[in-house]
Amino acid sequence: MDLTTGKSRVTLSASEVGALRTAGVLIEDPRRERPRYFDGRFLAARDLIRDQQYILTREADLGRAAGSGVATGLVVSGGGSDRIEVSAGHGVTPAGELVVLPRALGLRLADVPQAEQLSARFGLGRIPQPPLRSRTGLFVLALRPVEFTDNAVGAYPTTITGPRTVEDADIIEATAVVLVPWNDDGAADALEARRARAAATIFTGDAGPLLSSNVLPLAMIALQNNLPVWIDAPLVRRELGADRADLPGLGHSPRALRLAHLLQHQLHLADAVAANGGRGFAARERFTLLPPAGPLPPGMIAPRDFTQRYFPAEMAVDFSIVPEDELPALVEEALALPPIDLAAAAETLESSSVLILAPVPRNEWRAVNARLGSQPGTRLRSLRPAAINLVATRKPLEILQQLRVPRPLPPLTPTDPADAEWARLAALPELWFVRRRNLAYRDELAGEAIRVAGQDRVGELAPRLNAFGLDTPLNRVLATATPRAALEVSSLLASPRFADSPTLTAAAIGELSRAETLDQAAVLKVAAELSAPGVGDGLVRLETTRADTVPSKTALREIASGEADWRTADAQATLATRTEIRPLAQSVLRPQPVRSTVSAPDAPAPATPVVDATVRPRSRAAPRPAAQATGSSAATSPSGRRRKASVSGTPESAPAPDAQPAAPAGAATRARRRKPASGGT
């Protein structure tokens, strides 16, 4: 036997078959057996049936090789009232069977049989069928290959004494139209909400097969008492061979699924806008999952203040222009990105950015650019969310460090031609959005951008660390840091997450002190480790075990110097029960009580000055201004940050080395409040 040349299919001898079977290299398919005909063989009906089954199996295998879907036609449309129409066409089921409609078909939905659905969750079982006149819910209109016998002929007896009978002479292959119930466990919800949920289930790409492989889905139909409410074909319809277009399968999901999501979103959006009277709405009101690119409803950008109300407030949204003939290329590029999950956590949405595009005709491109201005960056405008106090415009690096720094927006000048042009572009009826990659986009400005922290946060950093005894460890870290790394360290420690937690601050200083070369990359690595999900939650839990205590300076210095293993303590505190958390906090943080005295404005001053045991008073005290004689309220939070009092003064005392870390100058504020009203000694 020559396996390299010769016939396309070689006939093996019995000895060759035995040798190949013994070697384990002969693969047999029991579905591909056919009768062997020879002179003198007795033929029975079962032999000819096996011959037909062999041909059908071969055709199905060839059909699956090219994929499944609609080859041509088979478009579903409403026919008025309770009728629908399906155009002529053909396709291939996932099982490889061919389904054909030789002519257009019009039918009543009440006449369409409801197919049996096998529930994978509860095992094989028949779902009770409601009366046809009251059928309500989501259904998939599909084609199913069937066959039946017809054309009866007389049959001769098979025995000498047997009678003659009548049997059907032909097997006829046909296509049946069926309605498959969509099991989404949401029968009590509105059909429009179930539509959005069905789209999220289908287009996430990880739900697996949702329908039988024996049917070819054409459209999803929402029925209310057997009347169609909406018809959505892109939800379930797929074109033949589209699932083989992006082999070897790179991307979030097959391209056919991504493209179908875009088409379905366009149809769903058009229906939602029509149902809303042509007015826009927030995306969360109608959708659960958005494609990575798609059109926008009208009126989503307010030209008065350039705010948007379509996307969640946590997402970063920019507005720009694009030549209209380049828009398809941008949409095609964005389809490689995952869809936008509107139900995701705020942290996930904050790391997502969207670019809203206004298509501009190619012949008007230069004129529009001239009206927007010639300076670099004038083709991009940031959009704030319309919701008050929900401005979230953090960049990916700022998300990493949990730092909220609002991006400055250019002021709106009504007489500015650029603002007028932006307002005109925002009012265009066909705006598109594309999801942006979290990459370092090239800036048109010459030079290099360096991010700095807000002055309000950095100004509180030094006194806060001094109050906790962490100023010396921080100075050692900054002494070995590059200028850019020092900026990143200040921004990291001034971010809200670390500013509210002295233990996390000490842990960050300890990790930074371990770096051999403290450059910007090293600081960002530490920031990434400490900002990972779940990291530091146990330390925060230890701090908040009792609201009237704060970590001791000694414990914080041990964490900052690396003597204490904060990671083990963090893991133990995360899993600790309520009864275990207090002893653990006592052993790790050795908390000190917070002593605070609040004087009422009209309360009489004590006759004798009272000095806190943790404060060393100076030999002489400067008299207070008259404005401070009435006293002012100052409170100290567990994190050590002092809330601003109505009157500020000069600290008159310094905390002892191991005193509880109140607030910067907090002890002095308490000492001042306990002096006589006259301000004397």
Side-chain angles (χ1 to χ4, degrees):
M1 180 181 61
D2 188 356
L3 298 179
T4 58
T5 60
K7 299 179 180 179
S8 58
R9 183 176 298 180
V10 179
T11 302
L12 303 178
S13 63
S15 60
E16 291 175 329
V17 171
L20 293 177
R21 281 177 176 172
T22 303
V25 294
L26 185 64
I27 296 92
E28 302 177 54
D29 187 356
R31 302 175 305 115
R32 296 173 59 183
E33 294 181 359
R34 66 184 189 274
R36 177 174 176 266
Y37 299 114
F38 52 89
D39 294 339
R41 173 174 176 168
F42 180 80
L43 290 179
R46 62 177 179 273
D47 299 317
L48 300 178
I49 292 175
R50 285 177 55 204
D51 210 0
Q52 294 177 350
Q53 288 295 115
Y54 171 80
I55 298 299
L56 294 176
T57 302
R58 292 279 290 173
E59 289 181 352
D61 291 342
L62 292 175
R64 283 197 300 268
S68 61
V70 177
T72 182
L74 303 181
V75 178
V76 181
S77 59
S81 186
D82 62 340
R83 299 185 63 87
I84 60 172
E85 296 181 356
V86 184
S87 65
H90 65 278
V92 179
T93 67
E97 295 289 339
L98 182 66
V99 289
V100 180
L101 286 184
R103 61 184 182 278
L105 181 65
L107 47 86
R108 294 177 62 247
L109 289 172
D111 299 333
V112 179
Q114 182 172 339
E116 287 185 25
Q117 186 186 42
L118 302 181
S119 176
R121 182 180 304 174
F122 302 104
L124 300 180
R126 183 191 300 271
I127 294 181
Q129 299 182 7
L132 296 181
R133 64 180 181 274
S134 62
R135 191 157 47 191
T136 301
L138 300 185
F139 298 86
V140 176
L141 184 72
L143 300 181
R144 183 167 188 170
V146 296
E147 62 180 28
F148 58 93
T149 61
D150 202 356
N151 303 329
V153 297
Y156 289 95
T158 57
T159 62
I160 297 177
T161 60
R164 295 189 62 179
T165 58
V166 177
E167 297 288 345
D168 290 337
D170 298 327
I171 299 177
I172 300 175
E173 297 181 356
T175 300
V177 182
V178 296
L179 281 175
V180 181
W182 180 263
N183 186 17
D184 61 348
D185 299 330
D189 296 340
L191 293 177
E192 195 67 26
R194 296 176 65 183
R195 183 182 188 180
R197 189 162 55 250
T201 302
I202 293 172
F203 295 120
T204 50
D206 53 0
L210 301 173
L211 295 173
S212 171
S213 61
N214 297 320
V215 297
L216 177 65
L218 300 182
M220 182 175 287
I221 302 178
L223 296 181
Q224 185 73 37
N225 295 329
N226 236 30
L227 296 178
V229 179
W230 48 260
I231 300 175
D232 197 330
L235 267 177
V236 294
R237 176 190 172 109
R238 303 292 178 264
E239 302 301 324
L240 179 63
D243 53 348
R244 301 291 194 272
D246 60 346
L247 293 178
L250 299 178
H252 175 73
S253 59
R255 185 182 182 280
L257 195 64
R258 290 180 262 132
L259 183 59
H261 192 188
L262 174 59
L263 298 177
Q264 188 274 334
H265 178 74
Q266 290 182 269
L267 180 62
H268 193 176
L269 180 66
D271 293 344
V273 171
N276 203 37
R279 299 184 302 272
F281 46 82
R284 280 176 169 168
E285 297 178 6
R286 300 300 181 102
F287 306 105
T288 306
L289 193 75
L290 291 178
L296 284 178
M300 289 295 97
I301 300 178
R304 295 182 304 170
D305 53 359
F306 288 99
T307 58
Q308 61 85 22
R309 61 187 185 95
Y310 187 69
F311 296 99
E314 294 86 354
M315 298 181 64
V317 182
D318 294 325
F319 186 33
S320 185
I321 58 175
V322 63
E324 61 180 6
D325 54 357
E326 295 181 9
L327 180 61
L330 289 178
V331 173
E332 183 71 23
E333 180 183 1
L335 286 179
L337 299 176
I340 302 173
D341 186 5
L342 299 178
E347 291 79 6
T348 303
L349 294 176
E350 286 173 346
S351 62
S352 304
S353 58
V354 172
L355 182 63
I356 297 179
L357 298 172
V360 177
R362 176 67 68 175
N363 58 336
E364 301 177 6
W365 179 255
R366 296 185 62 185
V368 171
N369 274 281
R371 289 193 292 267
L372 293 179
S374 58
Q375 296 297 325
T378 54
R379 295 184 189 174
L380 190 69
R381 181 143 196 168
S382 298
L383 300 179
R384 296 174 298 178
I388 301 177
N389 295 331
L390 290 179
V391 179
T393 53
R394 289 184 264 179
K395 296 181 179 179
L397 180 59
E398 295 163 353
I399 293 297
L400 183 67
Q401 300 177 344
Q402 296 293 315
L403 177 63
R404 183 181 293 270
V405 180
R407 291 179 295 179
L409 298 177
L412 180 61
T413 306
T415 58
D416 188 1
D419 289 337
E421 183 63 18
W422 280 118
R424 184 190 71 84
L425 294 171
L428 292 178
E430 296 181 358
L431 298 180
W432 282 68
F433 72 90
V434 293
R435 183 170 186 170
R436 305 180 70 180
R437 292 178 173 86
N438 285 335
L439 298 177
Y441 292 91
R442 185 178 63 185
D443 201 336
E444 296 179 355
L445 296 175
E448 191 172 359
I450 299 178
R451 184 178 61 82
V452 296
Q455 184 62 33
D456 55 337
R457 291 288 187 181
V458 176
E460 298 176 0
L461 181 59
R464 177 168 60 88
L465 296 182
N466 184 32
F468 290 111
L470 298 176
D471 51 342
T472 301
L474 177 62
N475 291 335
R476 286 197 297 265
V477 169
L478 296 179
T480 61
T482 63
R484 198 174 287 183
L487 287 175
E488 293 292 345
V489 171
S490 300
S491 299
L492 175 64
L493 299 182
S495 60
R497 177 175 171 84
F498 293 88
D500 295 337
S501 174
T503 312
L504 273 180
T505 302
I509 295 175
E511 293 298 317
L512 292 171
S513 61
R514 296 179 182 178
E516 297 179 359
T517 303
L518 194 59
D519 53 6
Q520 187 181 22
V523 178
L524 295 181
K525 181 180 179 181
V526 172
E529 293 175 354
L530 294 177
S531 301
V535 177
D537 293 345
L539 298 180
V540 175
R541 189 182 177 195
L542 291 176
E543 292 178 341
T544 57
T545 302
R546 291 187 58 181
D548 57 344
T549 61
V550 292
S552 66
K553 288 185 177 181
T554 304
L556 294 178
R557 283 195 293 263
E558 290 177 356
I559 295 176
S561 62
E563 299 177 8
D565 186 5
W566 68 268
R567 293 185 182 273
T568 302
D570 183 33
Q572 293 176 351
T574 303
L575 303 176
T577 62
R578 291 186 177 180
T579 57
E580 299 171 346
I581 192 65
R582 286 201 173 187
L584 184 60
Q586 186 67 32
S587 63
V588 174
L589 301 182
R590 301 189 287 279
Q592 301 284 339
V594 176
R595 298 181 179 88
S596 175
T597 303
V598 180
S599 302
D602 298 330
T608 304
V610 179
V611 180
D612 200 311
T614 61
V615 179
R616 299 195 303 269
R618 296 189 300 179
S619 58
R620 300 192 60 176
R624 285 186 303 170
Q628 300 179 8
T630 58
S632 59
S633 175
T636 302
S637 66
S639 64
R641 294 173 55 196
R642 180 172 63 87
R643 302 191 187 99
K644 293 183 179 180
S646 58
V647 179
S648 60
T650 303
E652 299 180 359
S653 60
D658 282 331
Q660 79 276 15
T669 305
R670 292 196 301 271
R672 284 198 307 271
R673 285 200 302 269
R674 298 186 183 187
K675 289 184 178 182
S678 61
T681 57

